Amino acid sequence: MASSDGMFIPRRMHRSPAFQKLTAKSMLVLFEFLYRRQLVKVGRRDRWVTKNNGEIVLTYAEITAKFRIARSTFRNSIDQLVKLGFIDIAHHGGGMMKDSSKYGISERWREYGKEEFIKKSRKKDN
């Protein structure tokens, strides 16, 4: 199987308290984000990092066409993924100005439920 045929999900992720709180639609959206990231090996120990972190684009139009998810459901999924620490919003786009939001894959979910967890939320639409 070619490396482009798969996607990597950390073993600890699906058993984490944060992952267990995700709705089915949020899991689907998370998997699409993980699918769109570009992993590269770095250093002597072959540590994997996301090359395009903060540059991942997933628009309302794409998600509604590809998965038939309502815009409100997609927005709620983004809210949940940010809140639980799976993604961060690097750039808040504006759909009316043809400016897409850009996202990054986050590792904050690893600390979810602990004192060290860094809380974040999506900036509400005006």
Side-chain angles (χ1 to χ4, degrees), residues 3 10 17 20 58 97-98 112:
S3 62
Q20 293 175 15
L58 181 58
M97 299 181 298
K98 304 281 188 214
Y112 182 78

Side-chain angles (χ1 to χ4, degrees), residues 13-31:
M13 181 185 282
H14 83 282
R15 293 201 175 158
S16 71
F19 190 84
Q20 293 175 15
K21 287 190 174 271
L22 290 175
T23 65
K25 297 294 184 187
S26 292
M27 282 184 210
L28 188 65
V29 173
L30 173 61
F31 292 158

Side-chain angles (χ1 to χ4, degrees), residues 25-91:
K25 297 294 184 187
S26 292
M27 282 184 210
L28 188 65
V29 173
L30 173 61
F31 292 158
E32 186 62 22
F33 277 114
L34 295 176
Y35 176 79
R36 289 171 183 242
R37 73 180 168 177
Q38 299 167 359
L39 292 173
V40 292
K41 287 183 183 181
V42 178
R44 290 185 191 185
R45 298 186 136 177
D46 291 338
R47 197 174 70 110
W48 291 92
V49 296
T50 304
K51 181 173 118 177
N52 61 335
N53 221 15
E55 297 293 324
I56 300 170
V57 175
L58 181 58
T59 66
Y60 283 85
E62 287 177 293
I63 206 77
T64 55
K66 192 173 283 189
F67 298 112
R68 299 191 188 275
I69 295 176
R71 292 175 64 87
S72 60
T73 303
F74 180 57
R75 184 184 62 244
N76 292 339
S77 292
I78 294 294
D79 287 345
Q80 188 177 43
L81 292 170
V82 170
K83 180 180 175 184
L84 296 174
F86 292 100
I87 64 170
D88 290 325
I89 302 173
H91 171 73

